[in-house]
Amino acid sequence: MRRPGGWWRVKSTPEKVETYTRWSFHFFGVIEILALGVTAYGRTGVGLATALCLLVTAHAAVCMLVSARALDWTRGRRPQPVRQMWALVVVSAVVSTTAVVIAERGPSGEVETAAGSVYGGVLCYAAGVITLGVRGWRRRVAVVGGFAVGAGLLTFPLEMPLLASVVLAGLVMVTGGFLAATSIFSLWLLNAVYALDDAKETRVRLAVAEERLRFGRDLHDVMGRNLAVIALKSELAVQLSRRGRPEAVEQMIEVQRIAQESQREVRDVVRGYREAALEVELAGARGVLSAAGIVSEVTGETAGLPAEVQSALGWVVREATTNVLRHGDAKKVAVTVRMSEGRVVLTVENDGVAETTGGGLPGGPGGPGRSGGTGGSGLSGLRERLSAVDGTLEAGPVGRGVFRLTAEVPLPAAAAGAALGVAS
């Protein structure tokens, strides 16, 4: 069963920022209703206030629609909402004109209060929202300027002084420009967060590609020369065999020896590729987490530990760190290595756990098993590696939003003494 707020925890950081930005735009519409529509009840009669409140509510609803569509357009999910923006222009003009008519023909004293607030307010909100659907600072300035000029022109039927009309147009220009700048900055921030997330994914893919290139280069260096020698000696053995020369047997024995040597060298390359040194993995985890903006605390000594123990624990560090980067939203990660009663204990703890199901590793549901292959990722793969050195693995939440992974490996008596001697 999903815990309260689980829908928020399972979102990635860019998705959270987008949700916050989207609802911030909707909240602007709520503020418009409260500031312009609801407050009209305290300034004029119930009937007139209700009419103004309904007009403002309809205008706020169109603003919410336009802001949502413009946000989708910015993210490349929808076409530019041209029709919706023109609809907002028409609705703004209708609401403003209606406010002017009410102010002109309604009871005296309402020009400067309810109707006047609605008149200027809807134009300011509309100017700020429509700028979300256009690109280029010139077009955005033209949109805000157009609403400001329109606000000044609509005041002529009221026979307002020229100075008052200019002041009103300037007010719409300044307020609408401020709302537009706030909205545009929110979009810029959202796009920047998505760009940073894409860069992080690209960095992970480049690291994998670099490792593949390294493995291919090492394998080519090992096999290229040996295969060339095998091909030459095999060809020589064929020629000698056709001539009935006994040296053909010696050449084939040499081919067999080189093939066996190549097989052994390939095993060494693969073993070096699959083994993970604990000290190297701890340093790499510190660097990668810091580059991702996560506060990392790595403590402990690795000197004196057997190679097979370091390899098994190194894989735990590698998988846990990868999972925190890919699936979690951690702000702090603590990695600790300590010796305890002839055992080495590795603890990885982070505060970015989301919904944890099915034995996931720190950082989110599913763990590395969701993104890796078979036999080398997830809890099952790590337990297999630890079982080779009689180690155990435990993982689970230990507090609100905190996930801890603990790996324990027993040490031989000699290795335990050496490790304790180094630690002391």
Side-chain angles (χ1 to χ4, degrees), residues 32 36 59 96 115-127 168 172 175 179:
E32 179 183 1
L36 304 180
H59 184 268
S96 300
S117 298
V118 172
Y119 172 73
V122 295
L123 295 178
C124 293
Y125 278 102
L168 180 59
V172 173
T175 307
L179 293 176

Side-chain angles (χ1 to χ4, degrees), residues 134-197:
V134 296
R135 288 195 177 103
W137 66 270
R138 292 184 179 179
R139 293 181 179 179
R140 289 164 177 163
V141 170
V143 169
V144 177
F147 274 92
V149 172
L153 293 177
L154 285 176
T155 59
F156 284 101
L158 298 176
E159 298 180 356
M160 290 180 61
L162 179 61
L163 180 60
S165 299
V166 173
V167 170
L168 180 59
L171 181 63
V172 173
M173 185 74 177
V174 173
T175 307
F178 174 77
L179 293 176
T182 303
S183 302
I184 293 169
F185 178 77
S186 298
L187 286 184
W188 175 85
L189 182 62
L190 175 62
N191 292 329
V193 171
Y194 269 105
L196 289 175
D197 187 69

Side-chain angles (χ1 to χ4, degrees), residues 225-238 251 255:
R225 178 183 60 84
N226 290 349
L227 289 176
V229 174
I230 289 175
L232 290 175
K233 287 188 172 295
S234 298
E235 184 178 357
L236 178 59
V238 170
Q251 294 297 327
V255 168

Side-chain angles (χ1 to χ4, degrees), residues 229-373:
V229 174
I230 289 175
L232 290 175
K233 287 188 172 295
S234 298
E235 184 178 357
L236 178 59
V238 170
Q239 298 296 331
L240 293 175
S241 177
R242 288 176 177 175
R243 299 175 184 176
R245 302 283 296 275
E247 292 86 348
V249 177
E250 296 178 0
Q251 294 297 327
M252 291 307 299
I253 293 175
E254 183 67 12
V255 168
Q256 183 181 18
R257 184 192 65 79
I258 296 175
Q260 292 174 348
E261 180 181 353
S262 300
Q263 188 177 19
R264 183 174 62 256
E265 291 178 350
V266 169
R267 288 199 189 102
D268 292 339
V269 171
V270 174
R271 187 182 303 112
Y273 177 74
R274 297 182 63 181
E275 289 181 351
L278 180 56
E279 184 176 356
V280 174
E281 293 301 329
L282 289 174
R286 184 187 295 108
V288 171
L289 292 173
S290 299
I294 300 174
V295 178
S296 59
E297 182 181 348
V298 182
T299 58
E301 293 291 337
T302 62
L305 296 178
E308 61 272 12
V309 174
Q310 291 207 33
S311 177
L313 294 180
W315 268 104
V316 176
V317 174
R318 179 185 297 182
E319 293 287 352
T321 304
T322 301
N323 196 74
V324 168
L325 293 175
R326 287 184 176 177
H327 302 293
D329 190 20
K331 302 297 184 297
K332 182 178 180 180
V333 177
V335 183
T336 305
V337 182
R338 57 185 175 87
M339 310 297 171
S340 176
E341 299 178 354
R343 304 175 69 87
V344 56
V345 181
L346 170 68
T347 303
V348 181
E349 185 174 296
N350 77 93
D351 61 353
V353 64
E355 294 289 313
T356 305
T357 59
L361 286 178
R370 294 181 60 185
S371 59

